[in-house]
Each structure stands twice: as structure tokens, then as C-alpha cells.
Amino acid sequence: MSEVGKPLGKDLVGLEGLSADQLRMILDTAEPFKEISERRIKKVPVLRGKTIVNLFFEASTRTRISFEFAEKRLSADTVNISSTGSSVAKGETLVDTARNLEAMRIDMVVIRHGASGAARFLAERIPSNVINAGDGWHEHPTQGLLDLLTIRDRMGRIEGLRVCIVGDIKHSRVARSNIYGLRALGAEVAVCGPRTLLPPAPEELGCRVFSRVEEAIEWADVLNVLRLQLERMQAGYVPSLREYNRIWGVSTARLEAAPRDILVLHPGPMNRGVEIDSDVADGPHSVILNQVTNGVAVRMAVLYLLAGGQPERAEAAKEGGEA
Amino acid sequence: MSESDVRRAVARMAREIVERNGGTDGLVLMGIHRRGVQIADMVRREIREAEGVEVPTGSIDITLYRDDLEVIGPRPIVGGSNLPAAGIDGKVVVLVDDVAYTGRTTKAALNEVGDWGRPRRIVLCVLIDRGGRELPIQPDITGREVQVPEGQHVEVLVPEHDGRLGVDLVEKGAESS
Amino acid sequence: MSEKILLRGGRVVDPSQSLDRVHDVLIVDGSVARLADGIEAPEDARTVDCAGKVVCPGLIDVHVHLREPGGEHKETIATGAASAVAGGFTAVCAMPNTDPPIDDPAAVGFVVAAGRAAGLARVYPVGCISSGRAGERLALVGEMVDAGAVAITDDGSPVMNSGLMRMALEYARAFGIPVADHPEDLGLSDGGHMNEGIVSSRLGLGGKPNASEDIHIVRDLLLAELTGGHIHLQHVSTRFGVESIRQAKARGVHVTAEASPHHLVLTHEAVDGYRTEAKMNPPLRAQEDVDAVRAGLADGTLDTIATDHAPHHYDEKEAAFADAPNGIVGLETALGIVLTHVVGEGVIDLPTMIERMSCQPARAFGLPGGTLAIGGPADVTVFDPGARWVVDAGQFRSRSRNTPFGGWELTGRPTMTIVGGRIVWSG
């Protein structure tokens, strides 16, 4: 990693295009941040004086809170803006919002929006650092990163691991970020779910395809189980939630038939009894709570790596950068 | 400074630490990453040989407490910070660093220690004092004072990182990280 | 006062007369008067030196959106006509998806009058197939034709009701006009904003599969066969679509079809990065589809090149991809793009290009023009096939700037446009 300047650039819009070195750097940086959350005073002054806006156009409690904790533990000042609107109104609101943020000289923006491409749209228009907290179906990079960290912590590595993502891949930004991150670090990736919920050309994204969850469990070291949204049933992608659970649900019985000890991840919130059974979620295979802990650390690492750094002033600062 | 010069200086520093404290009670050594950690360890061994007491020793990484993030940008977090098991509340914390220069590292270390707890006293011990302070912070115990000529830089070398023990004056730009 | 223009020494390419040679063209009183070598300029004639240039029958674009009435912030009939002549077009057919739509003789009359008042490119209105463009009942087809409509279409939208499409094809036969269709199955396209494929998969955007267009192309061909009517398929973009048209023509179905410059040149990769200036309907497709459209243009399966010029205001395109409207402008880049990337890449030769951009459009829609025959209207395009230029949307005569070709270096641009014997543009 370069000693001066910005190792990740100005923004984190997605994991697509990040190199294995950059991904490893983020995960390595997240480790010491885990320790801070164990302290009595859970704060370091790294982002003191920085203003961060959490711009959430889609309701989300857990991701927003995770970011807020990360920001406050780095001593930043945070402002939450929630806004929901009709699909057409979303477009105009975004442009105007970008202009307002620029005018207010906000340092960093964390954005979640229902339209794929919204994070990049913003990043191209304002000088603030932009972090994508989920844009439409496109990417949710910090979720991808915390999944990688959780897997690495428990399995010791990513390279050569077999990871299968189970569920509605087509509409999932978590799936896409996972696919890009895992493949960059050398894992083998598969997807499993009803064909109606797979994206076009999964093989071109580099994934194997399993039609039934038993096949996936037979093959995988790690399962990342995605939430099946109620709207998908209503839109007719699957005939019923019960049928989904029967054919693709991750149950203890199925896991026990596995030839090895499988790790189970879930980005949350869970539909217990639909995509994942309660005893699996609460059982020994599950690392779901670790994901949550790692989430704050990963977000702290990302904020830290994006902040500061004006290389042109680095030489002068290097003099005073010693003891 | 040669290897034997350094050893003699460290031995004297260790004696001064114990003398000032009137014994080894309540002492905690905290080495500042990176090379301060090795110096602290050498001090610990000297005290053990001289007094027969194992002084609790920890390390502190001040990367997240630097005040120049704006300019330099994020740097790798090298070692993480480790408190000794008994903690620092009510103790005499001896911050150990290799070189005292602007004083900013010490300030960051003081802030960080303050976030962890409340020591009874904090003492600053450095192997080399090269002057050039930008803050009103002075070491309590110094191994040696060194004048550094223009265009040069003082480097402390430790076996764990550099293969040998010593102190060198090097040309600016040639220093290792 | 009779205006006389002598176009001297250009390469005259007129496929309608199998002409391709250096020639002089004399225009008198709005008609082509003489085609010969070494014409002596009459005293009151304006002489234009066309050495090194191509002189051809005026280009005709049978698919443009002029947005008036209702969308004047994007384009008006006057600015659209100005954009047309700046692109070398002497005539355009204006689509009826305005607000209100062009579905009765009064609306048709309005467009005719506005085009005449602008006095630049000829503007031929196309009326709606269905009343209100609602897709339910036939509009006042006969009365619209009397008022000046040259075809009917519900473009913007497909005709989802096959019964209505059949009726339109049968009914329109009486008036000798084509029924133009935007082939798309809305059920299959639902939720899609670009081509369905690996790029949409990566970007996390809903996609429109080829099948959505193919199904309606096949349906339209079968209905044209059933009724004996003339179906004109707009902006064909799929390989199966091209092949289906090829086979239907072989069976004798009365079908004409369009290829747009962008579907001849760009693939869905152009959308990468969520570029709304590459968003249109039908969307840019995969390389195999582009190859098939090019082959279709070459062998005549696709008879015409039409731009589907669709101006949108900057603000509307400056939105998240899913929220941005479909469409790009095309009148001022068409000739350059086709010369550089279609003719220039050997897909068709220059005379075939003029056939596709002038003769065939006139024939398909029953329009005057498409020829430099003596006595015919003097609608002439002069262009420099070697002129190098860079596309700068800021220079467009159109009111809108939404083009994916900004910054492209092209070879070939129009230098003069003559409508009815009047020079309406030179650049």
C-alpha cells in the first residue's frame, strides 16, 4: 500500500474492479478496528472534525446504525437524512441532493438508494467521498467486505474456498458484491436458487449454477443465504414461500447431510423458516452475529482508508511525521 | 552509536526508571510502535536482571491518533495496541520510544493512553533525543542527545526489524520505514 | 422569381437512375432541370463548387420525434427541421406520440402548417393507429391521410392488441399507407431498462430480452401476410428479427424495415457506467445482433436507415438509469456515423447508403423525392465524404444534446442541403 495518498481512491462504489491487494488491505485494516469496539472508550480521533452524511433513500435500520457506530467511533460528526419517494421522484431528488451536498461541503456521504447506479451517479458529481451502502440491485460493497472478513476469520483464507450464494441472486446487491470480492480473492463461487431468480448469464459472471440446495451443500465450504423478499412471491417469481423453503431452504437436516462442516452466513434480516431455519441461524454453523460485529469494523476501515490524504502536501508532512 | 553503546544506554535508562519510581511497584512499560516496542523489551529485561522483577509490558500503535491524517492520508495500522493484563489505571506508565523529535508521537500516545484509563503518572523515556520539538513535551529519561545535521536523519536499528542493534545517521530519503 | 442553382463538378450518385459519376446539376424553379457535364451557368444562377463532394437525392428520415405539441422544451417542429437540414436531411416523418397525440385531422394539419412555416426540411406527419394512442380503437385514419398523414403508427408504444393491428393493416390498405410498428412485448419488457444480458447482470439493471422484440416482429409479419397489408417495422435490433424479415420477404410479404445508426454501430457495452446517453428503446444489443443488423442492411432485408431522433432535455437524462427517459438525438450525427462506421467499414458502399437513406425511404412511405430525375423536386444533399470532424453536441441545431457520440471523430459530413430548389442550409 502506498504510504501517502489514497489507497482506495475517492469513493467506494463497489467491489467490482478492486484488486486482490486492495481487498486484502481493507480486511487487514479492519482487524485492529475490531479491537477498538472492545475498549472502554470506543473511540479514536481519526475522523475528528469530519462531517459524514448518511443518505438513506431506502429504509434500513441495521446498515444505517452500523455505519453510524463506525463513524462515531472514528469521532466523526454524523447527520442522518432519510428520504423515500416515488420511482420518478427519486431521480430528481438525487440530482438536487448532490448539488446541495456539494454546496454544504460535506466530507463524506454514505448513500443507500433504490436505483442501481445511484452511488456512482453521486460520486461523479460531488467531491466528497461517496460510500455505497446499497444501490438498487447493483452492489453493497461493505456487506461484501464484512462477509469476506467473516469467512477469512473462520476459515483462515479465501483462496480455493467453495462459496455458494443461495437465494434471489437476480435482485441482490449483496450477491453481486460477494461474487466480485470472492472471485478476486481466488474463491470458487456458485449460485443456487430458482431459475426465475437468477440473473442472465451467471456463468459469464464466473459462477457455477446449482438448481437444488442439496447439490450446493454437497459442494460448498461456505453458504451465504440471502433473504427472500415477500414481493418476489407476490410478483410471481416463486409460487409460495413454503415451496421455496421446501426446495431451497437451508435446514439442519440438509446441513447434517453435508460431507464437511459448512459455514453459514446471512446478511440479514432473516425470514426464519423461509430461506433459513431457526435452528440453523442460531446453531453452530452460523456466523451471522460475527458478521454484524465485523460490519462495524469493516466500515471503520473503509472510512479510514478513504479519508484524508493530499499527496502534494505529503513531503512537507513527512518531516513532521516522525517522533 | 554501536551495539554496546546502545546496551549501556538502555541499562542506564532502566536504572533511572527504577530509581525515579523508588522501586518497581506499579510500573508499566508501554513501547511505542514500532521500534519503541523493542527498546521497551530491552528495558524490561534489564530491570528483570537488576531487580529480579518482571515489569508488565505492553505496546501502543498511535496511527489512529495522529493529527496529520488530512495531509498524509491513511497509513497501515502496524501493530495494534496491547495493554498488559493488569491494565493501567493507577499505575506508573512509562512510554518508551526510540527517538524524540517533534513531540507529536508522544502527544498522540498520551491521548491514546488517556482513552484507555487513568494512570497515576506517565513518564516519557526515549533512547535518542534529537531536539526539534514542535510541542512543549520533554522526555523524563534520555539515552543520548544527538544533534542531527541538515539533510540527515537519525535511525535506530533493532535486531527484530533491521538485523542489528545500533543508531545511525543517514541521508534523508534513505531512511527505512 | 426563379432561383437557379448550379451544382458544379460533384460526384452525382443517384441509385434511382443508376447514376454514379461526376456531373453538373442545374436546378431551376425548385426542380431538377438538367444533369450533364460542363453545364454553362445561366447569368442569374448561383454556382456552387462541388468538386470532391457527393451530390445525391435529399436524405429522408422516416422516424423522428419532433416533440411538438407538448414537449417544446426538448424540440419544436422548427428546431427539429433545422436539425434535420444541418444533418443533410431534406425530409422527415414526424411521429405522433406528442401531447396531445396526432390522432385526428386537426392535429395533422397543425404539424403540416408548422413544418411549412419553418421552411426548412419537409415535415410529413405520421398519425396514430389508435385513438389517443391508447391501443384500443382505430383513429380517424382516412381523414388524417386527407389532411396530410403519410403513415400511421402508435410509436413510442407497441400495439399490444393483435386484433387492432390486424384491423389497422386491413383498413390502411385503402389509403395506400404503411402501418409502422414499434415491435415490443410489454409483458416481457416489464422492469427492463436495457438489453438483457451480461452487462445488465453486472450493472444490476432489469433487462429487455431479444424475445420481446422478436415476438412482435413475427406477429406483425404474420398479420401482414394474412391481410396483404404493408407493415413497416421500426428500429429493428435483433438477429432473429432480421432473419424473420428476410424469410417473410422471400415469401412475398409486403414489409419494409428500418435500421438505426446506433443499432448499426453500438452494443450494450456502451451503457456501461450507467450512461443514460446510451439508453433508448429498443436498447443497444449484443455484438451478434449488431452484426446481423449490418448484414440485413447490406442485403436489403432492412430497407432504410432511420434515426429515431428522440430529443430529451438534459435534466431528464441526468437521473438514475432506471428513471431516465429512452432516446437519443440522431439527425446531426447520422450521416457521419454511417459514412465512417458502416460505409467506411465496408458493410455497404456509398450508392447503397444513398439508396437506404433516400430512395428506399421515399418508396416505402410513398413520398416525393429520393431521386434526381429531371422534372422532379430539387431536394438535394451535398456532402464531403472526406471531411474530418469531431461531434460536439454543443453545436447541434437541435434543442437537445442527448447523444452517445459526443467526442467521436468522424469522416464525412454534409455541406449543403437544398429543399425544393432552395438552399436551406450550408456548413
Side-chain angles (χ1 to χ4, degrees), chain C residues 241-299:
Chain C
V242 173
E243 181 56 30
S244 304
I245 296 167
R246 188 177 283 127
Q247 289 175 15
K249 282 191 172 178
R251 293 200 307 274
V253 176
H254 190 181
V255 49
T256 52
E258 298 167 3
S260 74
H262 45 279
H263 288 110
L264 286 164
V265 171
L266 297 171
T267 69
H268 55 174
E269 302 281 349
V271 171
D272 208 351
Y274 301 97
R275 298 182 60 222
T276 59
E277 64 268 24
K279 177 178 182 181
M280 77 290 291
N281 195 18
L284 298 171
R285 305 268 189 203
Q287 187 64 51
E288 306 98 299
D289 299 302
V290 173
D291 293 339
V293 170
R294 284 156 82 101
L297 186 75
D299 72 12

Side-chain angles (χ1 to χ4, degrees), chain A residues 16 87 90-91 95 99 115-117 120-121 125 135 137-138 176 180 199-201 204-205, chain C residues 191 196-198 200-206 273-274 314-315 317-323:
Chain A
E16 187 182 12
S87 151
K90 267 187 218 162
V95 179
R99 294 186 181 137
S116 300
R120 185 186 185 134
F121 183 92
R125 281 160 184 75
D135 64 330
W137 309 345
H138 175 231
R176 278 178 184 77
Y180 299 134
E204 283 186 63
L205 286 176
Chain C
E196 181 178 287
I198 179 64
S200 73
S201 203
R202 272 180 38 236
L203 294 178
L205 288 171
Y274 301 97
Y314 163 88
D315 267 345
K317 280 289 207 175
E318 184 68 357
F321 197 86
D323 299 329

Side-chain angles (χ1 to χ4, degrees), chain B residues 25-124:
Chain B
D25 264 358
L27 277 180
V28 172
L29 300 172
M30 297 290 293
I32 300 180
H33 274 289
R34 287 203 282 174
R35 291 178 175 78
V37 173
Q38 279 72 42
I39 307 290
D41 208 56
M42 289 173 65
V43 170
R44 176 182 62 81
R45 280 182 269 137
E46 287 288 336
I47 296 179
R48 186 179 61 201
E49 258 194 58
E51 307 279 328
V53 172
E54 189 67 49
V55 174
T57 304
S59 66
I60 177 168
D61 183 317
I62 54 118
T63 310
L64 297 176
Y65 282 78
R66 297 178 68 115
D67 61 5
D68 55 2
L69 176 73
E70 240 340 283
V71 178
I72 285 198
R75 311 191 113 193
I77 299 166
V78 194
S81 300
N82 302 293
L83 291 194
I88 57 168
D89 286 336
K91 303 271 194 274
V92 177
V93 170
V94 182
L95 292 174
V96 182
D97 206 359
D98 55 342
V99 180
Y101 180 19
T102 59
R104 292 188 189 274
T105 297
T106 310
K107 173 170 171 277
L110 289 169
N111 287 341
E112 186 159 357
V113 168
D115 273 355
W116 286 341
R118 193 177 187 283
R120 177 155 54 93
R121 184 182 304 143
I122 301 179
V123 172
L124 177 63

Side-chain angles (χ1 to χ4, degrees), chain C residues 193-245:
Chain C
H193 298 285
M194 61 174 291
N195 184 45
E196 181 178 287
I198 179 64
V199 180
S200 73
S201 203
R202 272 180 38 236
L203 294 178
L205 288 171
K208 302 184 194 215
N210 283 24
S212 166
E213 183 173 331
D214 295 336
I215 285 175
H216 269 233
I217 287 179
V218 171
R219 178 204 72 173
D220 288 348
L221 292 169
L222 290 171
L223 291 178
E225 192 163 16
L226 174 66
T227 60
H230 173 183
I231 184 79
H232 177 81
L233 290 165
Q234 296 174 315
H235 43 54
V236 176
S237 74
T238 63
R239 51 198 187 269
F240 187 81
V242 173
E243 181 56 30
S244 304
I245 296 167

Side-chain angles (χ1 to χ4, degrees), chain C residues 123-136:
Chain C
V123 178
Y124 296 109
V126 175
C128 294
I129 290 173
S130 63
S131 183
R133 246 176 29 96
E136 285 158 17

